[in-house]
């Protein structure tokens, strides 16, 4: 799985280590058991995807397991399969309509989702595509995600209880800085000056991250380090300056979210300098999720890669893979449910960019055939084309097998597999035998 997460990449940049050393795929998972799985028919729950209403009926037992949880994570085995987006939208709709969930949070920058969420609360909304292309990573810029956002807007126009779009990541910072500048425009000269500084620091850093995709642009490491640390200091000063400022009821949560976004954004520079360790993107995404459910009775549905939401570390010792689910389980014991998704064949939308951004071009690529002995090879031999398993029911069949995790790059071969007992990672796994690349906007 050739995936460069920002904190890994940043660690390489901060220490001067070759980026290539962090870009190498993890060792291929050993095929611990190449025998075909034999499962009792009662364990395989067939799912009808011909319509939303037939799907709703088929997944009621699954919804029953999710409905009373505080955090429900809906994973994706690739970042670009249309069916994963579509079926997670349907699950999200059911949980919002029937189980009291009001938030869906994407693996996307918090403040950028805030901008889109504002549009979802307007009385009228035109074409969402420009906002999606500006504020969402390209993995979310597809018709399937657009369908969910349009449904959310329609729902909000006809219901008193509103639904919200959130983000749990902090990959970019300029939108958060701009939101804080807007919210704090009528405060003190000191605060206004700090927000202006933050706009400049985040615009510089955002551009630096995106420029990593263009090898012709020289990378200026000393300038980046100085800018990143100055941004962290400006964020800390702003938070301190706001301690004595009374914000309105509407302002307070927006400012708190913007500050948290920036703290997470500049953590890449803070941790190596102060604590001599790499920033943990997964722990930060878990912290943002906790922030979203800080109010009594609040619940959230998280959309992120299986790599993150799984309860176990994908790569032992790597705090940036699978850790979000592990952190969330500790934060909300007994209140976290995770559904993984995977597929065997078809096509996938992916990018060749090293650093995923809203501008990263997506294209359709074929998925390689599952390797022998993998979960995907075994599951595709079962009769239903789409089904889910409750992993605790696998019992003796739940041996450690290679499990495929495809990132935002096009690679889906042998280096995309990691050894898994499914019950260690997920409460349930949704399998779609053949998937297609997400439909571009």
């Amino acid at each position: 799985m050739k995936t460069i997460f920002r904190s890994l990449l940043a660690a390489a940049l901060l220490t001067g280590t070759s980026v290539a050393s962090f870009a190498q795929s993890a060792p291929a998972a050993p095929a611990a058991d190449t025998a075909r799985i034999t499962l009792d028919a009662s364990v395989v729950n067939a799912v009808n995807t011909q319509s939303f209403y037939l799907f709703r009926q088929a997944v009621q037992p699954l919804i029953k397991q999710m409905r009373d949880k505080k955090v429900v994570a809906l994973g994706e085995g690739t970042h670009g399969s249309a069916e994963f987006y579509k079926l997670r939208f349907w699950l999200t709709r059911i949980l919002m309509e029937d189980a009291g969930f009001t938030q869906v949070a994407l693996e996307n920058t918090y403040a950028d989702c805030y901008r889109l969420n504002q549009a979802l609360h307007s009385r009228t909304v035109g074409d969402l595509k420009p906002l999606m292309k500006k504020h969402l990573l390209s993995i979310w810029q597809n018709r399937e995600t657009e369908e969910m956002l349009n449904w959310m807007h329609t729902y909000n126009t006809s219901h008193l209880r509103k639904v919200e779009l959130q983000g749990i990541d902090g990959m970019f910072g300029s939108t958060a800085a701009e939101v804080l500048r807007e919210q704090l425009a009528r405060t003190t000269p000191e605060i206004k000056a700090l927000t202006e500084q933050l706009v400049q620091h985040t615009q510089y850093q955002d551009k630096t991250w995106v420029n990593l995709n263009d090898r012709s642009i020289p990378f200026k490491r000393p300038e980046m380090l100085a800018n990143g640390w100055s941004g962290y200091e400006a964020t800390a000063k702003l938070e301190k300056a706001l301690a004595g400022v009374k914000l309105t009821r509407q302002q307070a949560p927006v400012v708190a979210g913007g500050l948290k976004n920036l703290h997470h954004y500049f953590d890449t520079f803070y941790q190596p300098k102060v604590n001599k360790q790499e920033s943990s993107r997964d722990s930060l995404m878990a912290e943002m999720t906790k922030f979203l459910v800080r109010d009594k009775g609040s619940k959230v549905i998280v959309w992120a890669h299986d790599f993150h939401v799984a309860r176990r570390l994908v790569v032992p010792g790597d705090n940036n893979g699978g850790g979000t689910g592990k952190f969330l389980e500790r934060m909300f014991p007994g209140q976290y449910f995770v559904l993984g998704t995977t597929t065997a064949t078809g096509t996938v939308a992916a990018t060749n960019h090293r650093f995923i951004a809203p501008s990263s071009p997506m294209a359709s690529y074929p998925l390689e055939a599952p390797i022998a002995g993998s979960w995907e090879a075994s599951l595709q031999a079962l009769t239903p084309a789409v089904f889910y398993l409750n992993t605790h029911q696998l019992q003796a069949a739940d041996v450690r097998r290679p499990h495929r995790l495809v990132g935002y790059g096009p690679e889906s071969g042998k280096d995309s597999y990691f050894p898994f007992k499914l019950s260690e990672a997920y409460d349930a796994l949704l399998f779609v035998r053949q998937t297609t690349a997400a439909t571009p906007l």
Side-chain angles (χ1 to χ4, degrees):
M1 179 181 181
K2 186 180 177 185
T3 304
I4 307 175
F5 296 109
R6 191 193 70 173
S7 49
L8 285 174
L9 179 56
L13 299 174
L14 294 171
T15 60
T17 305
S18 167
V19 172
S21 68
F22 283 92
Q24 298 302 311
S25 303
D33 184 349
T34 58
R36 181 172 293 183
I37 295 177
T38 301
L39 295 178
D40 186 278
S42 63
V43 176
V44 179
N45 303 280
V47 174
N48 191 324
T49 61
Q50 294 303 305
S51 73
F52 168 69
Y53 299 99
L54 291 173
F55 177 82
R56 184 201 288 264
Q57 292 175 359
V59 298
Q60 281 307 305
L62 188 60
I63 295 296
K64 186 177 180 181
Q65 297 178 66
M66 298 175 173
R67 64 181 306 118
D68 294 326
K69 303 297 185 182
K70 196 167 187 68
V71 180
V72 171
L74 304 180
E76 54 189 17
T78 81
H79 271 315
S81 297
E83 289 76 8
F84 294 164
Y85 289 102
K86 175 183 176 180
L87 299 183
R88 286 186 300 168
F89 162 43
W90 285 359
L91 286 168
T92 298
R93 177 178 171 181
I94 296 167
L95 290 169
M96 287 180 164
E97 290 181 332
D98 301 344
F101 284 80
T102 58
Q103 303 178 89
V104 57
L106 308 182
E107 185 185 326
N108 196 81
T109 299
Y110 173 87
D112 285 288
C113 286
Y114 167 78
R115 286 295 199 212
L116 261 172
N117 191 53
Q118 287 180 301
L120 301 185
H121 286 266
S122 64
R123 286 185 174 272
T124 59
V125 63
D127 189 354
L128 286 172
K129 294 184 188 66
L131 280 174
M132 292 177 68
K133 290 181 177 180
K134 180 177 181 180
H135 294 293
L136 295 183
L137 298 177
S138 59
I139 57 173
W140 305 112
Q141 294 177 25
N142 53 63
R143 299 282 181 153
E144 291 76 26
T145 301
E146 182 187 28
E147 183 183 5
M148 181 181 73
L149 297 180
N150 282 325
W151 175 84
M152 291 174 69
H153 178 261
T154 300
Y155 183 96
N156 283 339
T157 60
S158 57
H159 291 77
L160 291 176
R161 182 178 65 89
K162 309 302 182 185
V163 293
E164 313 283 340
L165 179 71
Q166 306 280 12
I168 61 169
D169 213 344
M171 290 184 70
F172 293 95
S174 57
T175 301
E178 291 164 4
V179 168
L180 289 173
R181 181 173 62 181
E182 292 169 10
Q183 293 290 322
L184 303 173
R186 297 185 178 182
T187 54
T188 68
E190 178 193 12
I191 289 174
K192 289 191 287 185
L194 286 169
T195 60
E196 288 294 343
Q197 290 176 34
L198 284 168
V199 169
Q200 293 175 21
H201 290 311
T202 54
Q203 287 179 346
Y204 176 93
Q205 190 56 50
D206 283 358
K207 186 176 180 181
T208 299
W209 293 135
V210 174
N211 284 348
L212 291 172
N213 294 316
D214 187 344
R215 296 178 186 273
S216 69
I217 299 176
F219 175 67
K220 300 178 181 179
R221 182 170 175 268
E223 288 88 339
M224 185 198 73
L225 293 175
N227 177 77
W229 182 250
S230 295
Y232 165 77
E233 290 184 316
T235 302
K237 288 177 183 177
L238 177 59
E239 190 168 44
K240 185 176 180 180
L242 285 169
V245 176
K246 187 174 182 180
L247 300 174
T248 68
R249 214 171 147 187
Q250 291 73 32
Q251 283 178 306
V254 178
V255 171
L259 281 170
K260 186 168 284 291
N261 188 154
L262 291 183
H263 273 299
H264 291 184
Y265 182 67
F266 291 117
D267 195 67
T268 295
F269 304 93
Y270 173 82
Q271 292 297 339
K273 186 179 179 71
V274 176
N275 296 324
K276 309 303 179 186
Q277 65 183 23
E278 181 188 335
S279 175
S280 166
R281 181 174 174 230
D282 278 290
S283 68
L284 296 176
M285 290 198 291
E287 281 293 334
M288 187 61 83
T289 304
K290 184 179 180 181
F291 174 77
L292 297 179
V293 292
R294 63 196 180 279
D295 295 331
K296 185 178 179 180
S298 58
K299 302 192 287 187
V300 66
I301 305 158
V302 173
W303 284 29
H305 199 282
D306 288 350
F307 200 81
H308 294 296
V309 297
R311 278 196 175 86
R312 53 147 288 190
L313 296 175
V314 175
V315 180
D318 172 17
N319 66 359
N320 290 279
T324 302
K326 192 171 183 179
F327 290 121
L328 287 172
E329 182 63 38
R330 289 202 297 266
M331 291 175 177
F332 306 105
Q335 289 297 305
Y336 179 59
F337 185 97
V338 54
L339 172 74
T341 61
T342 191
T343 183
T345 62
T347 56
V348 63
T351 182
N352 281 308
H353 270 190
R354 294 190 296 163
F355 185 86
I356 188 73
S359 58
S360 297
M362 304 291 283
S364 177
Y365 295 87
L367 282 170
E368 293 191 29
I371 64 173
S374 66
W375 280 107
E376 286 70 23
S378 298
L379 294 176
Q380 76 170 339
L382 300 178
T383 301
V386 182
F387 62 90
Y388 71 88
L389 304 168
N390 292 307
T391 59
H392 67 276
Q393 294 180 336
L394 292 174
Q395 299 181 353
D398 192 19
V399 297
R400 199 170 300 282
R401 294 170 177 265
H403 172 38
R404 183 162 61 186
L405 299 170
V406 178
Y408 56 73
E411 298 85 355
S412 60
K414 61 181 180 62
D415 289 339
S416 301
Y417 290 82
F418 300 83
F420 266 79
K421 282 187 177 182
L422 294 181
S423 61
E424 294 177 354
Y426 317 118
D427 293 291
L429 179 73
L430 177 65
F431 178 75
V432 183
R433 183 184 299 141
Q434 183 169 4
T435 52
T436 54
T439 314
L441 291 176

